[in-house]
Amino acid sequence: MGDQWGLGLQFIIVTIIMVATTNTCLGARNINSTVACFEHERLALLKFKHSVRDDYGMLSSWVGNDCCRWERVMCDGATGNVESLHLRGDFGSYLLSKKMGTSLRELRHIKYLDLSGNSFQGNRIPGFIGSLKQLSYLNLSNACFSGIIPHNIGNLSNLKNLDLGSSPRYCYDRLSVHDTTWISSLSLLEHLDLSYMNLTGLKVLDVVLYMAPSVKVLSLSYCGLLIDDGGLLRNLSTTLSNIKHLDLSRNICTGKIPHFFQNMTSLQFLDLSFVPLGAASNFANSLSMIPSLLELHLSYCDLKETHLSHIRHNLTTLSNIQNLDLSNNELTVLIAESLRKLKMLQVLDLSYNYLNGSIPEISEKIKNVTIVRSIL
């Protein structure tokens, strides 16, 4: 009996020790996970808060001594340094500022900065952003900056995502680039959006893109680019062989489309909407150069049935295409026999054309094809 009591007492003692040890370890982890932010970073964030109008209370939680507990702020759990600021303005909620100031310069360890969707009312992008050398993500899209992009953004050698794109729907002013050699310093860059930027003064865009071979997503919509044999993009095929997503919509085409697709073996998404391809005599042949495409947008391209008759054969080379947008053209005839061969097709948009009668059956061997149409 005594032995049993002794064994029981030993078991209780061991259990108490294990519980105590476990609680001690958990307490240590909790301490590490709640490291308070540095005072100079807290003051920098408060200074930024006081420099903007926050009519919608986006920064209302920015009170108290620990900025790591504030909404839209993320800190490194081990060091307490601010490493992410998620300040995207959306759904009618945004920050308004006539002068951004330099307070965020103190966030030396920040890796993620999103100021998109706010209104900086035509001010220039502050040059101090180029000193935040740990940044891997920078999003200033639709933030209504204007003027020339500071060249020292090229100092952000860790940058993988750079979004400076905008839309006239949100911002009247445009950013501009006269010299883009700074892009060549961003060797890790994978996502680049320069939409609605004034690129008409560029002379060496091909050279710059050649020096940024890691880019996989490129948006150059509404940039005033001339997409033809004599344009800035004539050698694009030799520069971006790894690209998967290319948006060239709302640009200009006056002659032949250059053969810049021929080496884009990874290209899966192409948007040429609002590019007047009807003026391009070799448009049909260009389609045969991109068999890897999964999604192709040709809305508002001034295409007519004469163009479709020429691309009848070439369209069949897009054997992997899943989404095809031919909306808002002047089509009156549908090339059903070619579309039937697109066996991976899932969405076909024919809306706002002038097709007579019913659309022929094109999905005998294709399941779940969605045909969008509104004017027949």
Side-chain angles (χ1 to χ4, degrees):
M1 186 71 176
D3 291 340
Q4 291 180 350
W5 171 255
L7 289 174
L9 182 59
Q10 290 179 4
F11 176 77
I12 292 172
I13 293 173
V14 171
T15 301
I16 292 173
I17 293 173
M18 291 178 63
V19 171
T21 303
T22 301
N23 288 337
T24 301
C25 292
L26 288 175
R29 285 199 292 270
N30 288 335
I31 290 173
N32 287 337
S33 64
T34 57
V35 174
C37 70
F38 288 91
E39 180 66 6
H40 70 280
E41 293 188 335
R42 185 183 76 88
L43 293 176
L45 291 175
L46 288 177
K47 188 174 181 180
F48 172 78
K49 176 182 178 179
H50 295 146
S51 71
V52 299
R53 270 181 52 189
D54 184 16
D55 296 339
Y56 303 95
M58 185 188 298
L59 310 181
S60 59
S61 70
W62 288 22
V63 294
N65 295 325
D66 188 0
C67 64
C68 293
R69 295 180 179 271
W70 297 351
E71 292 180 2
R72 298 176 178 265
V73 179
M74 294 186 66
C75 297
D76 185 297
T79 66
N81 289 116
V82 174
E83 64 177 10
S84 298
L85 274 184
H86 300 258
L87 299 179
R88 177 189 294 270
D90 49 21
F91 302 109
S93 176
Y94 57 90
L95 302 174
L96 183 68
S97 178
K98 290 184 178 180
K99 187 175 182 180
M100 184 174 172
T102 62
S103 60
L104 298 183
R105 184 195 301 270
E106 298 299 322
L107 307 181
R108 298 292 183 180
H109 299 275
I110 192 169
K111 299 178 181 178
Y112 184 107
L113 178 59
D114 187 349
L115 293 171
S116 63
N118 295 294
S119 178
F120 290 94
Q121 299 183 292
N123 283 283
R124 291 176 177 267
I125 296 175
F128 77 82
I129 286 182
S131 67
L132 304 177
K133 295 185 179 181
Q134 300 301 314
L135 278 178
S136 63
Y137 180 99
L138 177 60
N139 191 341
L140 302 180
S141 64
N142 292 310
C144 300
F145 287 108
S146 68
I148 299 174
I149 297 174
H151 294 176
N152 65 355
I153 287 184
N155 296 335
L156 306 179
S157 58
N158 291 307
L159 209 58
K160 293 184 178 180
N161 187 307
L162 177 59
D163 193 341
L164 300 175
S166 186
S167 166
R169 180 179 178 183
Y170 301 102
C171 302
Y172 175 76
D173 296 301
R174 302 178 72 172
L175 287 165
S176 61
V177 179
H178 296 156
D179 178 7
T180 55
T181 54
W182 53 268
I183 297 179
S184 63
S185 301
L186 307 178
S187 59
L188 301 180
L189 196 63
E190 296 181 355
H191 180 119
L192 177 61
D193 191 337
L194 301 179
S195 299
Y196 194 53
M197 192 170 295
N198 183 5
L199 301 182
T200 54
L202 285 183
K203 302 298 182 184
V204 291
L205 184 62
D206 288 342
V207 176
V208 172
L209 293 179
Y210 178 76
M211 300 176 72
S214 58
V215 172
K216 296 179 181 178
V217 177
L218 177 62
S219 297
L220 296 172
S221 176
Y222 216 143
C223 290
L225 294 173
L226 184 60
I227 307 173
D228 62 23
D229 279 332
L232 289 172
L233 299 175
R234 60 187 178 277
N235 295 322
L236 198 60
S237 61
T238 63
T239 65
L240 295 172
S241 59
N242 294 321
I243 197 166
K244 294 183 178 180
H245 179 117
L246 179 60
D247 186 351
L248 295 174
S249 61
R250 297 178 182 271
N251 284 295
I252 305 167
C253 181
T254 58
K256 290 186 176 182
I257 295 179
H259 297 290
F260 55 74
F261 296 124
Q262 60 188 358
N263 292 331
M264 289 187 175
T265 55
S266 300
L267 191 62
Q268 297 179 359
F269 176 100
L270 176 62
D271 193 344
L272 292 173
S273 299
F274 290 90
V275 176
L277 297 175
S281 59
N282 66 334
F283 165 63
N285 292 331
S286 66
L287 283 179
S288 62
M289 302 178 189
I290 41 179
S292 59
L293 273 183
L294 301 179
E295 188 165 343
L296 175 61
H297 292 267
L298 298 174
S299 181
Y300 287 101
C301 287
D302 193 28
L303 297 178
K304 302 176 182 179
E305 58 270 18
T306 53
H307 299 105
L308 285 185
S309 63
H310 290 299
I311 68 172
R312 185 185 304 262
H313 170 71
N314 303 77
L315 192 61
T316 62
T317 63
L318 303 178
S319 57
N320 295 313
I321 200 81
Q322 298 177 5
N323 187 322
L324 178 59
D325 183 359
L326 293 171
S327 64
N328 292 283
N329 286 290
E330 299 180 21
L331 304 180
T332 59
V333 177
L334 186 66
I335 48 175
E337 63 274 19
S338 295
L339 294 174
R340 287 194 187 100
K341 297 180 180 179
L342 304 181
K343 297 182 180 181
M344 303 300 293
L345 191 65
Q346 297 178 10
V347 176
L348 173 62
D349 192 343
L350 297 171
S351 58
Y352 295 96
N353 281 292
Y354 301 95
L355 300 172
N356 296 317
S358 60
I359 295 179
E361 175 62 48
I362 65 171
S363 57
E364 294 175 351
K365 297 182 180 180
I366 310 174
K367 297 181 180 179
N368 301 320
V369 174
T370 301
I371 301 177
V372 182
R373 53 179 178 163
S374 59
I375 297 181
L376 294 175

